[in-house]
Amino acid sequence: MLVVFAVLVGLVPVIPAVIYVLQNGKASPAKALSRLVTGFNAFNFLVGFMAAGLALVWLASPSAVLASGLAQEGGAADQYASLAAALSTGLACIGAGIAVGGSGAAAVGATAEKPESFGRSLIFVGLSEGIAIYGLIISFL
């Protein structure tokens, strides 16, 4: 039953994709095929991301921790403390990566056009790196 459900979920994006290719394939078949592949990759990424989130919630739920006996060894510790620390560090690092990606690209472009702007550009990249450090400090607290 689970395999049938998985196959049906996998086939959901096929119907509009086939309709799109049939409508736009005559004008530019290469562009239609490229967008079809991009759409399937995005759908598979989202399904995988949802499955990873479900697995995280299932594995880190308090009932799973209590069933494994890990909570009895540690005493009366908060069950969500390690999950909160991991989320604060992880999400802060993802945010810092996005910030450094944008500011780093702009810094390289500014330095290429005007080399004396390197110092100011480095400050902005360092400020966006601070986001990850703030998340790490919060996870230690």
Side-chain angles (χ1 to χ4, degrees), residues 71-86:
Q72 296 171 356
E73 296 172 9
D78 186 17
Q79 298 169 352
Y80 292 109
S82 61
L83 181 63

Side-chain angles (χ1 to χ4, degrees), residues 58-123:
W58 179 61
L59 291 175
S61 67
S63 60
V65 172
L66 290 174
S68 67
L70 293 176
Q72 296 171 356
E73 296 172 9
D78 186 17
Q79 298 169 352
Y80 292 109
S82 61
L83 181 63
L87 283 176
S88 68
T89 304
L91 293 175
C93 288
I94 289 171
I98 293 170
V100 168
S103 63
V108 168
T111 304
E113 290 180 10
K114 194 175 178 185
E116 54 269 6
S117 68
F118 176 73
R120 279 183 266 160
S121 301
L122 192 62
I123 291 172

Side-chain angles (χ1 to χ4, degrees), residues 22-90:
L22 289 176
Q23 288 178 346
N24 299 325
K26 294 178 183 175
S28 61
K31 188 175 181 181
L33 187 61
S34 171
R35 288 188 177 174
L36 175 72
V37 170
T38 304
F40 280 149
N41 288 340
F43 177 79
N44 289 336
F45 174 74
L46 288 176
V47 169
F49 195 63
M50 288 189 305
L54 182 64
L56 176 73
V57 169
W58 179 61
L59 291 175
S61 67
S63 60
V65 172
L66 290 174
S68 67
L70 293 176
Q72 296 171 356
E73 296 172 9
D78 186 17
Q79 298 169 352
Y80 292 109
S82 61
L83 181 63
L87 283 176
S88 68
T89 304

